Amino acid sequence: MSTYEYLLTHEIKPSQQRICLMEFLLKHRIHPTAEEVYSRLSPSMPTLSKTTVYNTLKLFVQKGAAQMLTIDERNACFDADITKHAHFLCKECGKVYDLHEVPSHWQQLPEDTLGHLIDEVQLYYRGTCRKCAEKQAKKKLKPTK
Amino acid sequence: MSTYEYLLTHEIKPSQQRICLMEFLLKHRIHPTAEEVYSRLSPSMPTLSKTTVYNTLKLFVQKGAAQMLTIDERNACFDADITKHAHFLCKECGKVYDLHEVPSHWQQLPEDTLGHLIDEVQLYYRGTCRKCAEKQAKKKLKPTK
DNA sequence: ATATAAAATTGTAATTATTACAATTCCGTA
DNA sequence: TACGGAATTGTAATAATTACAATTTTATAT
């Protein structure tokens, strides 16, 4: 299915910008911030405005075509993978990873919600990612230089 | 145990301000933002500075005496209840609720973490809280006024 | 009690992310 | 081809957080 059609299935009118942004999200399976989306696309879309990026990402989330992650305190980031899956934030490098391998119990809504109506669940892990852990291990091996 | 002692057990030197802040967090089991802590304590602590609130809350989190929640996109909020428990954010009123009644599977760390070292887990729900849901129901009953 | 040094607190200014809003551009339809 | 509504843009405003230097507090040694 083309990005054009994909947007339509989510009731999003597929404009130039929206197609480009969604294409970017779908292609690069990173978890970009609004800023990142802007700076990566801006070179090839000279007229793109940051406001459009914010508006469009918000629209995607409203229409269920992307999810917003608040795992990083500093800024929201976005994920075009709308299947329920856990996320991991490395406190060292700030990168956000998918964690599809987490058992999926948590995705089911609890029986007792105190009367609250739930329409979203997210599971966040934080710590040190593999790469950063390896770097730190190396540093310790040769402490003096 | 006094708040004074409580801070000591977390290796936090118990200054006036730290005691007051921690007391506030422990007493009011809300999930205040830094701003909220400041505006609620400021009347009784005329010299209190917002920077101190930020510094102190960050210290509490570092020392494991409180946890920071990023469930609300706009600003971090803090919880002196450091037991693992789920949280619910009402998108209508912005309030954050504890959800101790959620089955605790999610709290266990997954076997396969792709090599990442996990030291924190948080489970977030979002939706409409009971109060807001009731309000909305009432509105629908008498639509014209 | 007093001097001293380190740690904590404060106030201000800077930074960063996000939103508000008015002006302009784009696009489908008559 | 003109019109009108939606989308996009740029700028300015807002809000949360941090940086940092100056001041105050606190604990300790004299």
Side-chain angles (χ1 to χ4, degrees), chain B residues 31-43:
Chain B
H31 301 86
T33 63
E35 176 63 39
E36 260 173 283
V37 171
Y38 175 75
S39 62
R40 297 271 313 258
L41 286 182
S42 174

Side-chain angles (χ1 to χ4, degrees), chain B residues 57-120:
Chain B
L57 291 173
K58 179 174 283 182
L59 181 72
F60 289 172
V61 172
Q62 278 169 0
K63 296 295 190 177
Q67 59 176 321
M68 177 170 61
L69 308 179
T70 63
I71 193 171
D72 187 344
E73 180 204 351
R74 284 171 291 193
N75 40 32
C77 59
F78 297 85
D79 192 345
D81 181 349
I82 51 178
T83 64
K84 280 183 192 164
H85 59 284
H87 290 94
F88 174 87
L89 170 73
C90 175
K91 291 180 191 171
E92 302 297 323
C93 64
K95 233 185 127 181
V96 175
Y97 296 83
D98 285 326
L99 264 185
H100 287 283
E101 22 291 290
V102 174
S104 58
H105 314 293
W106 64 274
Q107 298 171 6
Q108 275 116 263
L109 299 190
E111 309 248 319
D112 181 4
T113 65
L114 306 178
H116 308 320
L117 306 174
I118 292 175
D119 50 46
E120 209 180 312

Side-chain angles (χ1 to χ4, degrees), chain A residues 20-70:
Chain A
C20 289
L21 287 225
M22 183 51 83
E23 204 120 71
F24 179 82
L25 288 183
L26 290 171
K27 200 167 169 186
H28 308 84
R29 254 53 193 352
I30 56 180
H31 301 85
T33 63
E35 177 64 39
E36 261 173 282
V37 171
Y38 175 75
S39 63
R40 298 272 313 258
L41 285 182
S42 174
S44 57
M45 301 173 69
T47 74
L48 182 66
S49 123
K50 211 174 269 187
T51 301
T52 301
V53 174
Y54 276 99
N55 289 343
T56 305
L57 290 174
K58 178 174 283 182
L59 181 72
F60 288 172
V61 173
Q62 279 169 358
K63 296 295 191 177
Q67 58 177 323
M68 177 170 60
L69 307 179
T70 63

